Amino acid sequence: HGHGHGHGQPGRGHGHGGVDVRGYDFRRTGVNGIYGGVFLGPLGHFWYYALDTTVNRALPGGTAARKIGAKLAADLGLFGPFHLAAFLAWTAAASATHPRATISAGADGEEHGGGGGGGGGIWAAVKTSIGKDFTSALLVDTFYWLPVQAFNFAVMPVSKQLLFMNAACVVDAAFLSWLGSHSGALGSLWKELLGTTRKETGAGAQIEKEGIKRS
């Protein structure tokens, strides 16, 4: 939502109190920072003022609760999905153009080079990233931003809403930065959790049936 997307990659501690930056991905920090500062920051500034104007015109006599609800619906239903898709596309394209980039593994299990900035490789990386990560990430993002934005719209004046969101975006930026470098990991985690839940539910039902038969 905000433009605090240059963060989320802490350096490793050094033995003498300094910071060892050898394992730090400066390229990814730059990619995230450019996205937030050049694209999402200006867009977010326009979005909040346009959203406030549109809601006030659409609900001139509406209560504060109705206006907050309308803003939440628009922010989480329009701006949130658009921002997430744009971020996934941007980071996937940046990864595909990295000199050491590799796209997905083929059917033989070997990785095939996808770097070099070819249009086909970039488009394939974007489709893969959005296909793997969009739905699961949107679910997590929505649960996070729902209370944050409810507070933002209810308490903060329009001129301060982007600033507040950028402060809250530190957590979201860390999450999206991790997601951008671990494509598919969140979807796999959801599948594992759902699979575990189904197994436990099935086992519980079986135990209950056996108990009924015995009685």
Side-chain angles (χ1 to χ4, degrees):
H1 275 69
H3 60 264
H5 287 277
H7 307 289
Q9 299 182 88
R12 296 178 297 178
H14 197 275
H16 298 285
V19 177
D20 183 0
V21 298
R22 287 175 295 180
Y24 192 91
D25 192 343
F26 287 99
R27 186 178 189 275
R28 182 151 59 97
T29 298
V31 166
N32 293 347
I34 291 172
Y35 173 83
V38 176
F39 174 70
L40 194 60
L43 178 63
H45 177 80
F46 168 80
W47 169 254
Y48 282 109
Y49 280 98
L51 182 62
D52 186 69
T53 300
T54 302
V55 169
N56 286 332
R57 287 178 179 174
L59 302 171
T63 62
R66 285 188 65 191
K67 291 182 178 181
I68 292 171
K71 288 181 178 181
L72 277 173
D75 190 72
L76 298 177
L78 297 175
F79 188 81
F82 173 77
H83 148 58
L84 179 60
F87 179 79
L88 291 175
W90 171 257
T91 54
S95 296
T97 56
H98 194 285
R100 296 188 301 273
T102 55
I103 305 299
S104 59
D108 55 4
E110 297 181 358
E111 288 187 332
H112 300 278
I122 294 174
W123 178 240
V126 169
K127 289 195 299 181
T128 299
S129 178
I130 293 178
K132 285 183 177 180
D133 301 320
F134 180 80
T135 302
S136 53
L138 183 62
L139 182 62
V140 174
D141 240 18
T142 300
F143 273 108
Y144 174 72
W145 284 109
L146 181 60
V148 171
Q149 290 294 66
F151 178 86
N152 193 15
F153 292 135
V155 177
M156 307 300 292
V158 179
S159 60
K160 301 291 191 244
Q161 286 176 1
L162 182 61
L163 180 63
F164 174 82
M165 187 192 64
N166 285 333
C169 199
V170 172
V171 175
D172 189 53
F175 164 67
L176 290 179
S177 180
W178 172 84
L179 185 67
S181 60
H182 296 79
S183 181
L186 188 60
S188 299
L189 178 61
W190 279 115
K191 289 179 181 178
E192 289 178 7
L193 290 175
L194 290 174
T196 301
T197 302
R198 288 171 181 168
K199 289 180 181 178
E200 291 176 350
T201 303
Q206 184 64 30
I207 293 173
E208 185 176 348
K209 288 180 180 178
E210 292 177 357
I212 293 174
K213 289 179 181 179
R214 291 171 183 172
S215 62

